Amino acid sequence: MSEPDFIFMLTRNDRTVPDAAVHVQTALAAGVRHIGFKDIGLPFAELAALNRTIKDGGARSYLEVVSLDGDSEIVSVRAAVKLGVDYLLGGTRVADVLPLLEGTGIKYYPFAGRITGHPSVLGGSIADITASAIDLASHDGVHGLDLLAFRSQTDVPALIKTVCAAVNKPVIVAGSIDSAARIRAVLGSEAAGFTVGTAALDGVFPVSRPGLTQQLSAIRAAMAKAP
């Protein structure tokens, strides 16, 4: 099994941060090659500039949808198509989204389970979430799943392992990954990737001196030390 992809999110509390244009340069210089943002927090023109910077820097771009109502989700998906991101994460309305993505080449990873609130929370039992994941993965246009594991009230390592084992498509673990222990929990599963945003931008990971570059290094060090 290959090492999961670390996806750095230019976000805090499920919103793209105002100074994302500065942080994306830091991330690219640090060698991060998977970088994402949310569909809210900045005007479309600034999101478009972010996406260009990410792709021009040799990285893959990710847009994660956090819209709660159907109309807003469709607006967000249309924005992702117009931006030309590489990956669309999140959202829940697969039947409405798949026709919009047809022929775009965008890889689609909707949320597994029942999502509520903002920042988003994952509800239900491991069995409920796994059943949702199996149903979503059965769609041809769904390339993988976005799992808000640490936003659930379940046994998180068990949830990640159960969902990953139940589907034959990649799973990205997103949301509230703010410690080396949580990174180890992801790497101890079959997850294909994980996201970190708020924790890195807020300097949560222990480092010898402050700064985003040091935070990104700490995340990579935690990955290297995981079994």
Side-chain angles (χ1 to χ4, degrees):
M1 173 187 163
S2 61
E3 182 179 80
D5 294 324
F6 160 44
I7 305 162
F8 173 54
M9 298 295 291
L10 299 160
T11 61
R12 179 180 286 109
N13 298 326
D14 283 355
R15 297 178 65 88
T16 302
V17 293
D19 48 356
V22 174
H23 297 315
V24 71
Q25 297 290 355
T26 301
L28 289 169
V32 178
R33 290 299 175 261
H34 300 269
I35 303 175
F37 47 90
K38 300 296 174 78
D39 59 315
I40 59 175
L42 287 178
F44 182 85
E46 293 184 42
L47 294 180
L50 265 187
N51 188 59
R52 285 194 301 271
T53 299
I54 292 167
K55 299 181 85 164
D56 289 348
R60 295 178 182 176
S61 63
Y62 297 71
L63 184 145
E64 189 170 45
V65 176
V66 293
S67 307
L68 293 178
D69 66 274
D71 290 344
S72 296
E73 182 169 339
I74 295 306
V75 169
S76 298
V77 173
R78 291 188 187 280
V81 172
K82 190 173 180 180
L83 288 168
V85 296
D86 296 310
Y87 290 80
L88 175 65
L89 308 181
T92 59
R93 295 166 178 83
V94 173
D96 296 325
V97 171
L98 285 175
L100 301 177
L101 296 180
E102 191 170 350
T104 64
I106 295 174
K107 297 188 182 302
Y108 177 39
Y109 287 56
F111 285 132
R114 177 169 50 85
I115 308 299
T116 58
H118 185 87
S120 302
V121 173
L122 173 59
S125 66
I126 291 178
D128 294 334
I129 297 164
T130 302
S132 167
I134 292 169
D135 175 66
L136 291 171
S138 69
H139 294 270
D140 289 339
V142 170
H143 299 87
L145 301 173
D146 190 347
L147 182 64
L148 295 174
F150 291 100
R151 304 270 182 89
S152 74
Q153 297 298 313
T154 68
D155 178 334
V156 173
L159 171 63
I160 299 171
K161 290 178 180 179
T162 301
V163 169
C164 290
V167 299
N168 61 354
K169 293 181 179 179
V171 176
I172 291 173
V173 180
S176 301
I177 297 177
D178 55 7
S179 68
R182 291 189 170 188
I183 292 174
R184 287 194 297 271
V186 174
L187 270 66
S189 70
E190 295 292 321
F194 68 96
T195 70
V196 179
T198 302
L201 292 173
D202 286 355
V204 167
F205 292 92
V207 291
S208 59
R209 53 196 175 92
L212 179 57
T213 299
Q214 287 70 32
Q215 289 290 303
L216 298 174
S217 295
I219 292 166
R220 285 181 158 167
M223 294 173 68
K225 292 177 182 176

